[in-house]
Amino acid sequence: MTTTSLPPIAERAAAPADVPLPDPSLGLTWRPITRDDVLALSALVTRTEVADGVPYRTVAEEIDEKLESEWRDIPRDTLLGLDADGVPRAWAEVDQPPGDTRVVRAFVGGGVDPDWRGRGVGRAIVAWSHARARQVLAASGKELPARIAAYVPDEAQDAARLLTRSGMTPVRYYAEMRRPLDAPLPDAPTPDGVRIVPWAPEHDEGARLAHNAAFADHWGSEPRNAAQWVHGRSMFAPTWSLVALDGDDQVVGYLLSGRYEADWEVTGHSAGYTDLLGVVREWRGRGLASALLATVMRVYREDGIEYAELSVDTANRSGAHRLYTALGYEVYASSAMYAIEL
């Protein structure tokens, strides 16, 4: 699909003038999420994650930082359903990243308390999310291919069924992989002409530019502007993060790690998580990605961490899945992106 053949985005999105709140007959009172809701919403999210059996936990800090997104209209992009006692029982959210230049995307998310499932609440918040997503896509004014998308772990079958009934289909699949650090670490020397150094604030903008360049040819990836790049770092582990510099001190590769300690209680082991890894095109095929991963494995292990973990798009044409397998990573969980293309 080319942009020249597309009808205007407002026409494709068919955005409603208003997005009504879900029907109060469902037994919930509806309003936007506020910062005061973070702890109660965190408890609700945990209940849904426990019920679905997912291998992670979303903590209050991660929820709070979502409400700080400077590009989002939080009062219009979030929804909270409270029971008669004021306890949150359902939530929904929409996010349209501002840096999109190839496909304008609206990500939808949310959940329903396990005790409130089967009452139509899930269908209601999905319908609300899609209507709001169409509004934000139309408001973007970007005459690009457009997508409404949601990530669903394979364990969350209730959510998968809801999204399928709403017209979304799985379009991409992702694998969570991990490697024990008590096994011998790979021998992956740093390529000549580049050096790997610890992440530091002065390298961060260079890492952002390297990320945008490295992922320019990856399906589903869009450039991140400066605000997007620094957002979502509540679990960022700077001492576990690396950059690769060429002879001119330009960032040509990077590995940014997260420390998700709440997940450790679920999985039964500690882990260093590689949130972002990339190498610019000019340095691909020289072993730099392997060197970054081997280096961070040593960093994790020196800190007493038991596993190295990461996520991969299973259809990634760069061969990332094969690379990780060769370095000893194995799949332990998976998820899918469900989407509607507009």
Side-chain angles (χ1 to χ4, degrees):
M1 180 184 288
T2 63
T3 57
T4 55
S5 65
L6 292 171
I9 190 168
E11 179 182 329
R12 285 180 284 127
D18 297 299
V19 180
L21 297 177
D23 195 323
S25 67
L26 293 170
L28 298 175
T29 301
W30 302 93
R31 63 167 174 79
I33 301 172
T34 72
R35 301 289 289 279
D36 292 336
D37 297 315
V38 167
L39 292 180
L41 178 54
S42 176
L44 169 58
V45 173
T46 296
R47 291 196 298 274
T48 66
E49 291 174 344
V50 170
D52 290 334
V54 298
Y56 57 81
R57 294 293 179 265
T58 303
V59 298
E61 291 86 351
E62 295 174 274
I63 294 170
D64 187 60
E65 68 184 338
K66 286 187 177 183
L67 302 177
E68 294 182 330
S69 303
E70 64 181 48
W71 59 87
R72 296 176 71 188
D73 184 348
I74 297 299
R76 300 181 68 196
D77 293 344
T78 64
L79 183 70
L80 190 66
L82 302 106
D83 68 14
D85 296 319
V87 177
R89 298 297 184 178
W91 85 99
E93 58 181 324
V94 177
D95 185 14
Q96 197 283 292
D100 292 356
T101 60
R102 294 179 289 270
V103 177
V104 58
R105 305 164 299 167
F107 291 99
V108 298
V112 179
D113 189 302
D115 292 338
W116 280 73
R117 294 178 182 177
R119 308 186 191 189
V121 176
R123 290 192 300 274
I125 63 172
V126 169
W128 179 90
S129 299
H130 283 200
R132 180 57 186 153
R134 289 175 183 277
Q135 278 191 329
V136 298
L137 289 171
S140 75
K142 297 178 178 180
E143 300 306 336
L144 299 168
R147 177 181 302 129
I148 300 173
Y151 292 102
V152 182
D154 285 358
E155 296 86 352
Q157 290 301 304
D158 287 347
R161 283 190 289 268
L162 276 172
L163 295 182
T164 300
R165 290 169 186 162
S166 75
M168 303 182 85
T169 56
V171 296
R172 210 73 173 184
Y173 299 91
Y174 304 89
E176 296 290 329
M177 306 183 75
R178 64 186 173 205
R179 183 198 196 280
L181 297 175
D182 59 358
L185 299 187
D187 180 17
T190 303
D192 292 339
V194 68
R195 67 188 192 281
I196 294 174
V197 301
W199 176 92
E202 58 266 28
H203 300 312
D204 204 41
E205 175 62 7
R208 180 183 76 86
L209 297 175
H211 173 79
N212 288 346
F215 280 82
D217 54 357
H218 284 228
W219 187 95
S221 180
E222 294 290 328
R224 300 191 187 189
N225 66 21
Q228 289 172 264
W229 181 249
V230 299
H231 183 70
R233 290 195 178 180
S234 60
M235 300 294 111
F236 178 50
T239 60
W240 290 355
S241 299
L242 308 165
V243 294
L245 304 176
D246 67 9
D248 296 321
D249 285 342
Q250 297 296 309
V251 178
V252 295
Y254 56 90
L255 186 153
L256 303 187
S257 293
R259 187 182 181 103
Y260 299 91
E261 294 189 33
D263 298 356
W264 303 356
E265 299 177 15
V266 181
T267 61
H269 61 255
S270 59
Y273 196 94
T274 297
D275 281 322
L276 290 175
L277 169 68
V279 174
V280 299
R281 178 179 292 275
E282 295 79 8
W283 279 88
R284 292 179 189 171
R286 307 191 200 185
L288 181 52
S290 296
L292 284 164
L293 286 165
T295 302
V296 87
M297 287 181 201
R298 291 194 294 273
V299 172
Y300 294 156
R301 190 164 71 175
E302 288 168 3
D303 246 357
I305 300 303
E306 299 169 277
Y307 279 81
E309 297 181 344
L310 48 71
S311 177
V312 62
D313 178 343
T314 59
N316 187 321
R317 285 188 286 180
S318 70
H321 193 280
R322 293 190 301 275
L323 166 66
Y324 304 149
T325 300
L327 292 174
Y329 288 85
E330 296 181 346
V331 175
Y332 69 92
S334 54
S335 62
M337 175 194 283
Y338 285 70
I340 296 174
E341 306 289 344
L342 302 175

